[in-house]
Amino acid sequence: MRRIRAAVWRVNGLLAVACGATAPADAAIVYESSDNRLIVSGRLATASLWRHDTPADDHAPRDFGSRIRGIAEHNFENGWSGLLLSEWAFDVFQDDETSNRFKREQYAGLSHPRYGTFLAGKQYSVWYDLVASWTDYFSINGLAAQGTFGGRRLAGAFEGIGRADRALSYRNRFGNVTVGLMVQAPRDALREETTAAGIQTRGVQRNHSLQAAAAWHLAPNLTISGAVAQSDIDDYDEQPGVRRDTDMTAGLLGVRWTPGNWYLAAIAGEYHNLIRAQTFAGRTRDRAADSTRGTESVVAYGFEDIAPGSIQLYAGLNALYDRHSSARNVTYIQGIRWALFDARAIIALEHTETDNKDVAGRTPPGEGQTGVLLRYNF
């Protein structure tokens, strides 16, 4: 679902903090003075899914993105402001089969109305903020075709497409154009193993990652955008002890139009060495697919006066294609979302149907599903 961000600071009217946070009205201000604020916020969320043609599915409720965050702000002189943010995911059911808690974001930042916003640490990428987030709108499904949260590590952290680790970013708005730049520092995930052939290196190493994104605001409700990303990666797992270049490159284009109660957005991208091969039926090796392309779109309409809160109907398409085989993942999404208590409480019903193919062009067993989501922002 599209994230509603906290306006921890503003740069020329831009919501500059890439934190996936809830709206300020949902947050608890623990402390506030003329120059400082301490804020605590987050969400509790659960979902139950009914997978089609899966008799063994028990539909048991599961955690669906619960999190808690703390934000500390300080106003300096000459218009500068500073921020520290730490956000952690946790499983409200404490399921032993999942990671019960992990760090989603953790960064420090400086911002100025003229000079822009600088963030350092684990954060949402400029790829996501300025383009991919436009179709992160569905309550339960979506996102597979945009590449954002794919890659080798949880949530796109290693290649930097999603929540990038060890990242430094810059965002600013110049007239009708918003720009974003990001770089990731090296990360070494190598280890040595003793085999019959001797000591050999295994694992993967990121030498650096680079990103650039821009959004052109053609009108108050019409924007087009684009992003490019590159990550210099050396892989030693393909053949132990032998380095293999698996550099990731990707590009994404997007358009968003929001007239009245309508919300319409579409993105299209191409990804090299980003999408994991086992994403497609018939590919089982744990390596990145050489070349894939994807498109994601959403259309939604909101009703404001027919019930307490607001009701929204939405539909969309999520389609990811392997360019070197017949494999594809195509998902059609339809849903209804009811937001109550100033959008603090969300109830959603979402249904999907698939039109997938494996590497040989055969149709694998159906993977459509119907799901119910309950969420409370605090």
Side-chain angles (χ1 to χ4, degrees), residues 4-162:
I4 305 172
R5 289 175 174 74
V8 179
W9 57 61
R10 294 175 183 269
V11 179
N12 296 333
L14 169 68
L15 293 181
V17 178
C19 64
T22 53
D26 300 331
I29 300 176
V30 178
Y31 172 80
E32 185 171 22
S33 67
S34 58
D35 292 326
N36 300 284
R37 279 206 305 176
L38 179 61
I39 303 169
V40 175
S41 63
R43 72 172 56 162
L44 300 173
T46 182
S48 184
L49 307 178
W50 285 261
R51 291 185 173 86
H52 306 171
D53 304 322
T54 308
D57 185 17
D58 62 4
H59 323 308
R62 66 194 65 184
D63 185 82
F64 215 78
S66 297
R67 66 200 63 169
I68 188 168
R69 76 181 61 82
I71 304 171
E73 306 173 48
H74 177 73
N75 293 321
F76 298 101
E77 296 180 356
N78 303 319
W80 286 96
S81 60
L83 172 143
L84 296 173
L85 180 145
S86 184
E87 179 180 274
W88 290 78
F90 63 92
D91 185 345
V92 295
F93 297 103
Q94 292 295 294
D95 185 353
D96 291 336
E97 296 181 359
T98 66
S99 177
N100 289 332
R101 53 189 175 275
F102 59 89
K103 179 175 64 179
R104 288 175 52 89
E105 297 179 87
Q106 188 163 284
Y107 59 78
L110 287 172
S111 183
H112 190 278
R114 178 179 178 182
Y115 301 117
T117 297
F118 302 85
L119 301 179
K122 187 175 183 181
Q123 58 186 272
Y124 278 99
S125 64
V126 297
W127 165 288
Y128 177 81
D129 275 342
L130 296 184
V131 192
S133 61
W134 293 357
T135 54
D136 187 1
Y137 204 86
F138 308 108
S139 299
I140 297 174
N141 297 279
L143 300 179
Q146 57 173 251
T148 301
F149 299 109
R152 301 171 181 273
R153 298 290 187 270
L154 180 68
F158 193 81
E159 291 83 355
I161 298 292

Side-chain angles (χ1 to χ4, degrees), residues 163-199:
R163 293 192 295 273
D165 61 16
R166 302 187 183 184
L168 175 65
S169 68
Y170 172 72
R171 296 164 173 84
N172 205 353
R173 179 164 175 167
F174 303 94
N176 292 330
V177 177
T178 300
V179 299
L181 302 171
M182 195 188 80
V183 59
Q184 272 184 296
R187 179 151 200 159
D188 188 345
L190 300 178
R191 64 187 185 278
E192 291 185 344
E193 295 181 353
T194 302
T195 67
I199 298 177

Side-chain angles (χ1 to χ4, degrees), residues 201-215:
T201 301
R202 296 295 300 264
V204 65
Q205 177 175 301
R206 179 185 71 217
N207 300 308
H208 69 261
S209 295
L210 302 171
Q211 272 183 48

